[in-house]
Amino acid sequence: MPSASPVVKKTPKSFQDLPPIRVRREPPTIPEAVAAAQDLADELEHQVEIAAGLIGLPVDEIRPHVLAAAKAKPERVPERILTAGSPNRAPRTVIVERRTRPPVIVERRGRPPLGR
């Protein structure tokens, strides 16, 4: 009968023993930034400012991309879907309407005064 090997305990590693964490930072591409800006704001100028801030480029370089994306985005109309009905009934029409979300309003507040 083979003898059991002794249990080896692992020593806990501290955070000082580990190598530093490397974070990779990639700015978004122009189409990604424009799409994010369109979701965050309705006005074109606000979209231009948001996209430029996300990428880190001047506003003048981003404006043509935002304007081109705004023209390409068609207005959505309700979709009509016909479902197959039973032999006794006519097919039913289902109307799917998409609602836009209300704009997000962020209030900037200063620090509260120190109560002394």
Side-chain angles (χ1 to χ4, degrees):
M1 178 171 190
S3 63
S5 62
V7 177
V8 178
K9 291 186 179 180
K10 293 184 178 180
T11 58
K13 289 188 173 183
S14 68
F15 288 111
Q16 295 171 350
D17 296 338
L18 299 174
I21 297 174
R22 294 184 299 166
V23 178
R24 190 169 123 187
R25 184 187 180 283
E26 288 185 21
T29 62
I30 291 176
E32 290 172 342
V34 170
Q38 285 177 338
D39 289 341
L40 292 173
D42 290 331
E43 295 181 23
L44 288 176
E45 281 305 312
H46 291 151
Q47 292 176 8
V48 170
E49 292 174 8
I50 291 170
L54 288 172
I55 299 177
L57 291 176
V59 175
D60 295 333
E61 288 185 34
I62 300 299
R63 185 171 283 115
H65 298 284
V66 173
L67 294 175
K71 292 177 187 173
K73 187 177 178 183
E75 190 65 31
R76 288 189 173 176
V77 294
E79 299 175 15
R80 293 187 180 267
I81 302 171
L82 292 176
T83 60
S86 65
N88 299 337
R89 291 184 176 173
R92 295 182 297 163
T93 302
V94 178
I95 300 175
V96 179
E97 294 182 0
R98 289 187 169 84
R99 297 183 186 177
T100 59
R101 288 185 269 156
V104 177
I105 300 173
V106 178
E107 293 183 19
R108 295 186 181 246
R109 297 182 183 176
R111 290 186 176 176
L114 297 174
R116 287 190 178 189

